């Protein structure tokens, strides 16, 4: 792809953040509105073009804007990008995008995804957002191909990406704190008590859709 052909991916690394941290953070301080706009635009483009660097960009949001605003800007950008690619799938580009999805997903995953979306769209969208069993861009496309309504797609995406986004934003902020303190970057340093509890919370959120489905089946069986 053009993205990899131009070697843009080499700038999306922890080493690049460390090397350019002073320039980036000064840019945020001096031109915050432009920095926020640029970050959201880059994230939207990455999502729309299905560039597989969402996790790193989310971490960068926390690095640049802090854990709260970083998560907020990421949620806005990820949802905008998801809506755009969802809408594109319903245009003349749909056939091309559909072929791409079919090539990427194994038959068993493909069939389970279609079945899940057709039977309980909101539950399944929440499930694949909380537990990324399929790539993010495919999770944006499949609902469009199976007739899921836009408002259901937006609601499931918005709620489903919050826990993971918050965790990556916190990790990005912790990385910034370590670099500013001239500390050696390490996994133990990044995953402190706050992140540990956040990961536990994410695990709890991840099983909620499963618990909901079990309870729903039980209620239907009893009625």
């Amino acid at each position: 792809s053009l993205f990899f052909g131009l070697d843009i991916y080499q700038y999306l690394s922890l080493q690049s953040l460390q090397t350019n941290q002073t320039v980036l953070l000064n840019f945020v301080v001096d031109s915050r509105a432009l920095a926020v706009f640029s970050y959201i635009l880059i994230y939207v483009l990455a999502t729309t073009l299905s560039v597989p660097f969402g996790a790193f960009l989310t971490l960068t949001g926390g690095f640049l804007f802090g854990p709260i605003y970083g998560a907020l800007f990421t949620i806005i950008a990820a949802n905008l990008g998801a809506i755009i690619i969802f809408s594109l799938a319903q245009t003349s580009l749909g056939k091309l995008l559909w072929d791409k999805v079919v090539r990427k997903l194994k038959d068993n995953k493909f069939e389970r995804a279609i079945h899940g979306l057709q039977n309980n769209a909101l539950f399944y969208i929440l499930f694949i957002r909380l537990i990324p069993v399929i790539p993010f861009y495919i999770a944006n496309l499949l609902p469009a191909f199976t007739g899921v309504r836009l408002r259901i797609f937006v609601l499931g995406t918005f709620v489903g990406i919050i826990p993971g986004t918050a965790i990556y934003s916190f990790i990005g902020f912790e990385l910034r704190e370590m670099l500013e303190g001239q500390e050696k970057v390490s996994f133990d340093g990044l995953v402190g008590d706050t992140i540990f509890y956040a990961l536990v919370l994410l695990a709890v959120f991840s099983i909620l859709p499963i618990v909901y489905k079990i309870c729903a089946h039980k209620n239907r069986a009893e009625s």
Side-chain angles (χ1 to χ4, degrees), residues 89-102:
Q90 298 178 322
T91 67
S92 56
L93 290 173
K95 178 63 167 61
L96 177 63
L97 295 172
W98 172 259
D99 291 340
K100 186 175 183 180
V101 169
V102 173

Side-chain angles (χ1 to χ4, degrees), residues 28-203:
V28 172
V29 172
D30 297 337
S31 307
R32 186 172 179 82
L34 180 58
V36 172
F37 175 79
S38 300
Y39 173 75
I40 291 177
L41 178 61
I42 291 170
Y43 205 113
V44 169
L45 288 174
T47 303
T48 303
L49 297 174
S50 304
V51 176
F53 286 96
F56 176 79
L57 290 174
T58 302
L59 184 147
T60 302
F63 183 92
L64 295 176
F65 307 108
I68 305 302
Y69 285 110
L72 175 62
F73 299 148
T74 297
I75 290 169
I76 292 171
N79 276 275
L80 287 174
I83 291 170
I84 290 172
I85 196 169
F86 179 92
S87 301
L88 286 175
Q90 298 178 322
T91 67
S92 56
L93 290 173
K95 178 63 167 61
L96 177 63
L97 295 172
W98 172 259
D99 291 340
K100 186 175 183 180
V101 169
V102 173
R103 287 196 305 271
K104 288 290 184 180
L105 277 186
K106 295 180 180 179
D107 290 342
N108 58 339
K109 279 190 176 181
F110 182 79
E111 291 175 1
R112 287 202 300 268
I114 296 298
H115 179 76
L117 287 167
Q118 289 176 338
N119 285 273
N120 194 331
L122 181 58
F123 159 78
Y124 196 79
I125 291 171
L126 281 171
F127 178 77
I128 60 180
R129 295 306 191 189
L130 289 167
I131 308 174
V133 292
I134 58 178
F136 188 78
Y137 77 93
I138 293 181
N140 292 333
L141 291 169
L142 277 179
F145 296 139
T146 50
V148 174
R149 286 174 292 178
L150 179 60
R151 64 184 182 88
I152 296 296
F153 173 77
V154 171
L155 176 61
T157 299
F158 176 78
V159 175
I161 68 174
I162 288 176
T165 299
I167 288 174
Y168 275 100
S169 294
F170 270 109
I171 292 176
F173 183 67
E174 289 290 321
L175 173 64
R176 170 178 160 182
E177 294 279 285
M178 291 180 67
L179 293 178
E180 287 181 340
Q182 302 298 314
E183 298 179 40
K184 182 179 179 181
V185 177
S186 66
F187 179 79
D188 291 338
L190 285 176
V191 185
D193 290 341
T194 302
I195 301 302
F196 172 77
Y197 292 123
L199 289 171
V200 172
L201 184 61
L202 176 60

